[in-house]
Amino acid sequence: MNIDNLIDEVIAREGGYCDHPADRGGPTKFGITQAVARAESYGGDMRDLPRSTAVRIYRALYWDRPAFAFVAEIAPFVAAELFDTGVNMGPGVAAGFLQRTLNALNRNGRDYADLSIDQKVGARTLAALTAFLKLRGPRGETVLLKAMEALQGERYIDLAERRPANEAFLYGWLANRIG
């Protein structure tokens, strides 16, 4: 697992240009919304967004800035999930899922201290992840992923329930983002 492969997979899954009427994000290309592209200094038509710009944005905003690369050194599959969830829901939401899950699995603080759910991967989150995996071994990463994906799936259903227009996307979110 490396970030180049993860980015390639996301771009392949997200596809080319899209401007779905139910998508509040407006025009997208390669899964990059117009708002994100503009914030990252791309001023052109979204139909013309270069793939290289999308790759740069994915690496900077959804891997380097949220410190998911540090997670990859400890738990590569968790890092891949953080990246994918971060792309779809925002890196803070993804990091929050990790923190909530680690808290729920620490046996009431006996294994490591509870984390603040600040939605940022920092030294305490990395230490808790390391402690969890040391205690639980290789199967621990699998269990952690299942718990994170459960939170993600619940959020997708909640989004569709709160905004019926999101039902247009629910099947694809569950099919392509969970498990």
Side-chain angles (χ1 to χ4, degrees):
M1 185 279 313
N2 69 50
I3 187 56
D4 295 322
N5 291 342
L6 293 174
I7 291 171
D8 287 345
E9 289 171 11
V10 164
I11 287 175
R13 185 171 45 252
E14 292 290 343
Y17 178 79
C18 181
D19 190 8
H20 194 287
D23 188 347
R24 288 183 174 169
T28 66
K29 186 165 181 190
F30 306 125
I32 302 294
T33 66
Q34 182 171 290
V36 168
R38 297 290 184 260
E40 293 300 305
S41 302
Y42 176 74
D45 188 299
M46 286 303 291
R47 288 175 187 83
D48 301 325
L49 180 78
R51 187 181 193 284
S52 60
T53 300
V55 168
R56 179 185 56 75
I57 290 170
Y58 277 128
R59 181 182 298 276
L61 298 186
Y62 303 99
W63 188 252
D64 293 336
R65 191 174 298 165
F68 296 161
F70 294 112
V71 174
E73 295 172 11
I74 301 166
F77 295 110
V78 169
E81 180 64 26
L82 289 169
F83 173 75
D84 189 63
T85 302
V87 164
N88 199 246
M89 297 183 164
V93 171
F97 286 168
L98 173 62
Q99 291 169 330
R100 287 178 60 199
T101 301
L102 286 168
N103 283 350
L105 292 169
N106 73 357
R107 298 185 311 156
N108 297 310
R110 286 184 300 204
D111 299 331
Y112 46 87
D114 274 340
L115 300 166
S116 296
I117 310 301
D118 62 5
Q119 298 190 329
K120 295 176 183 155
V121 172
R124 292 193 66 218
T125 300
L126 294 171
L129 176 60
T130 300
F132 173 78
L133 293 174
K134 183 177 179 183
L135 178 70
R136 297 297 183 177
R139 187 148 163 34
E141 188 169 10
T142 301
V143 171
L144 193 61
L145 284 169
K146 286 180 181 183
M148 291 170 63
E149 288 182 346
L151 292 172
Q152 184 179 12
E154 190 283 328
R155 183 173 170 115
Y156 287 133
I157 290 170
D158 182 61
L159 288 170
E161 288 174 339
R162 284 190 290 120
R163 182 173 177 258
N166 284 334
E167 287 186 15
F169 309 113
L170 182 60
Y171 183 88
W173 287 337
L174 296 172
N176 297 312
R177 300 287 184 176
I178 305 295

